[in-house]
Amino acid sequence: MTDLAELRAAIDEIDGQLLALLAERFRVTAEVGRLKKAAALPGRDAQREAEQIRRLHDEARRLGLGEEWVTSLWRLILDEVVRRHAQA
Ligand SMILES: O=C(O)C(=O)C[C@]1(C(=O)O)C=C[C@@H](O)C=C1
């Protein structure tokens, strides 16, 4: 039981770090959104996203994570950034 509690505490710690990193990522993408708006660039950059997904696939393979799963996760994040760009 102690093991379970300790493992769950480790999970909670990691979840907090993941959330903080995501918040930091959204802070940076908000700056990108401001630059794009000032330059009248579209919110989505499909070529950049394809490069990102390719790189993430390589890293996912190296880490033993499923490529499709990583793609779905980043789709969620990228779509949220594009949504925020459109609202800025
Ligand atoms: O790099 C950009 O141009 C962004 O707007 C950031 C970002 C990202 O979150 O990484 C989001 C949307 C774009 O389609 C590509 C990348």
Side-chain angles (χ1 to χ4, degrees), residues 25 29 32-33 36 42-46 48-49 52 77-78 81-82 85:
R25 192 185 196 285
T29 55
V32 171
K36 283 179 144 181
R44 190 177 293 282
D45 182 336
R48 165 73 177 149
E49 290 190 13
Q52 287 170 288
I77 295 170
L78 294 169
V81 172
V82 170
H85 282 348

Side-chain angles (χ1 to χ4, degrees), residues 33-46:
R34 276 189 284 277
L35 288 180
K36 283 179 144 181
K37 191 174 183 184
L41 289 169
R44 190 177 293 282
D45 182 336

Side-chain angles (χ1 to χ4, degrees), residues 3-58:
D3 276 356
L4 179 59
E6 280 175 12
L7 291 170
R8 283 180 173 171
I11 289 168
D12 289 347
E13 172 67 26
I14 292 166
D15 285 351
Q17 291 175 10
L18 284 173
L19 213 54
L21 279 173
L22 275 175
E24 175 62 15
R25 192 185 196 285
F26 282 123
R27 270 191 290 277
V28 174
T29 55
E31 280 190 47
V32 171
R34 276 189 284 277
L35 288 180
K36 283 179 144 181
K37 191 174 183 184
L41 289 169
R44 190 177 293 282
D45 182 336
Q47 192 181 329
R48 165 73 177 149
E49 290 190 13
E51 289 164 6
Q52 287 170 288
I53 297 292
R54 243 193 324 273
R55 188 174 52 77
L56 288 163
H57 276 180
D58 290 345

Side-chain angles (χ1 to χ4, degrees), residues 66-81:
E67 291 176 27
E68 281 186 23
W69 176 79
V70 167
T71 300
S72 318
L73 193 54
W74 254 265
R75 262 288 125 253
L76 272 181
I77 295 170
L78 294 169
D79 287 351
E80 173 62 12
V81 172

